[in-house]
Amino acid sequence: MKKIIAGNWKMNLLKQDVDQYLEVLKTLTLNQDKEMILFIPSIYLDDVNHNLNNKDIVIGAQNFYPEDCGAYTGEISACMLASIGIKHVLIGHSERRKYFNESDMVVNKKVQKALANNLHPMICVGETLEEREGKLMEHVLECQVFEALKNISSDDVKNISIAYEPLWAIGTGKTATSEEAQEVCAYIRTLLNKLYGDISNEIPILYGGSVNLDNYQILLNQEDINGVLVGGASLNIDSFKLMVE
Ligand code: PGA
């Protein structure tokens, strides 16, 4: 399986920054064993996707609303994303769970809607520090994974990836050690195995949370870590470039 280097800009970068970033993106040549997905704000999706001209890089959306169309002022739908050629979408990021009350049920609805529109969902799961310290981590992850994948068939699950992002490591500069990250990603794989048997080995599991130039390689070297989801460190194209090339 190729290693996935995914970037998540969150709500950052202005048009002029994006234009400069795009110029560098166009010139990137990915290492053969890597693939790159960049989750960018919706407002830039169409422009970046059209002007990128680099088949090695895929552009993804950070969010959508799980209805096809209708009176949902301010929202965009999965079919709108599909209609402009977007193929990947982030679902259940902890910031969406925290600030926009995205429950496991909503996550599942979004996963189904994404798949129905031929989008590849990257589902984020992760525990808080209190949950980890209170020995609730496994239970929390099991609920998040099982709920997100409710009624998802073995065929469909091949289009999904899971990103393990412990909340205490996001944007804090505090990364899980490679051993900790490997251990939890291996646990997530056992959960997937319970649901889908051997297909679990084909589902990419990524680690995210303060990934940077200093730690990405050791994380990627772990057996059950098939990629990294990079927030803050993906904003600077010069350092992000070094991770993918
Ligand atoms: P971070 O964010 O790399 O800035 O910690 C990761 C994420 O939230 O996806």
Side-chain angles (χ1 to χ4, degrees):
M1 199 188 297
K2 283 190 177 186
K3 296 282 184 184
I4 302 171
I5 313 285
N8 173 13
W9 287 357
K10 310 190 180 188
M11 196 175 71
N12 291 296
L13 303 184
L14 298 178
K15 176 78 170 103
Q16 55 269 34
D17 309 318
V18 175
D19 288 344
Q20 283 176 9
Y21 199 113
L22 180 60
E23 286 314 305
V24 185
L25 275 190
K26 285 179 184 168
T27 65
L28 284 193
T29 328
L30 252 62
N31 198 310
Q32 287 284 301
D33 59 355
K34 291 197 179 130
E35 62 180 271
M36 176 177 173
I37 310 173
L38 199 53
F39 295 99
I40 70 176
S42 332
I43 192 167
Y44 306 128
L45 283 170
D46 198 26
D47 181 41
V48 173
N49 199 36
H50 263 98
N51 292 311
L52 182 57
N53 281 329
N54 188 336
K55 59 173 179 28
D56 285 349
I57 304 170
V58 200
I59 299 299
Q62 296 176 7
N63 185 40
F64 65 93
Y65 190 71
E67 292 293 342
D68 291 334
C69 58
Y72 304 101
T73 303
E75 295 297 326
I76 59 169
S77 66
C79 44
M80 288 177 186
L81 292 173
S83 77
I84 62 163
I86 296 300
K87 300 221 158 42
H88 291 257
V89 68
L90 212 51
I91 296 180
H93 190 280
S94 61
E95 286 148 18
R96 295 223 50 93
R97 294 179 191 258
K98 179 174 168 192
Y99 300 119
F100 304 97
N101 302 320
E102 208 162 286
S103 64
D104 287 331
M105 226 173 76
V106 173
V107 168
N108 178 252
K109 196 168 174 196
K110 286 184 160 189
V111 172
Q112 302 206 33
K113 202 46 110 176
L115 291 167
N117 286 282
N118 297 317
L119 297 172
H120 298 263
M122 182 178 287
I123 305 170
C124 303
V125 297
E127 82 288 357
T128 63
L129 190 58
E130 297 75 54
E131 288 161 347
R132 176 173 271 253
E133 288 175 350
K135 309 250 178 291
L136 291 170
M137 180 184 77
E138 294 197 347
H139 173 69
V140 168
L141 292 173
E142 180 178 297
C143 291
Q144 290 178 347
V145 170
F146 285 2
E147 284 297 315
L149 296 175
K150 213 173 195 167
N151 298 321
I152 304 301
S153 70
S154 310
D155 268 350
D156 278 342
V157 83
K158 292 177 188 156
N159 294 315
I160 287 177
S161 56
I162 306 279
Y164 166 58
E165 298 206 302
L167 272 68
W168 45 271
I170 296 179
T172 56
K174 199 169 175 243
T175 334
T177 63
S178 52
E179 292 83 11
E180 282 169 334
Q182 158 59 24
E183 198 181 318
V184 183
C185 290
Y187 170 67
I188 291 173
R189 198 163 321 271
T190 64
L191 296 175
L192 296 173
N193 189 275
K194 277 190 198 163
L195 294 174
Y196 302 104
D198 285 349
I199 295 172
S200 60
N201 297 321
E202 295 168 40
I203 305 173
I205 301 177
L206 292 80
Y207 167 80
S210 297
V211 175
N212 57 40
L213 259 186
D214 296 330
N215 59 27
Y216 80 101
Q217 196 60 61
I218 182 153
L219 287 160
L220 284 181
N221 286 344
Q222 307 304 309
E223 188 184 344
D224 286 288
I225 301 183
N226 309 114
V228 284
L229 178 54
V230 190
S234 72
L235 294 174
N236 179 332
I237 182 62
D238 296 323
S239 59
F240 195 44
K241 182 178 152 146
L242 295 173
M243 291 190 204
V244 292
E245 280 190 331

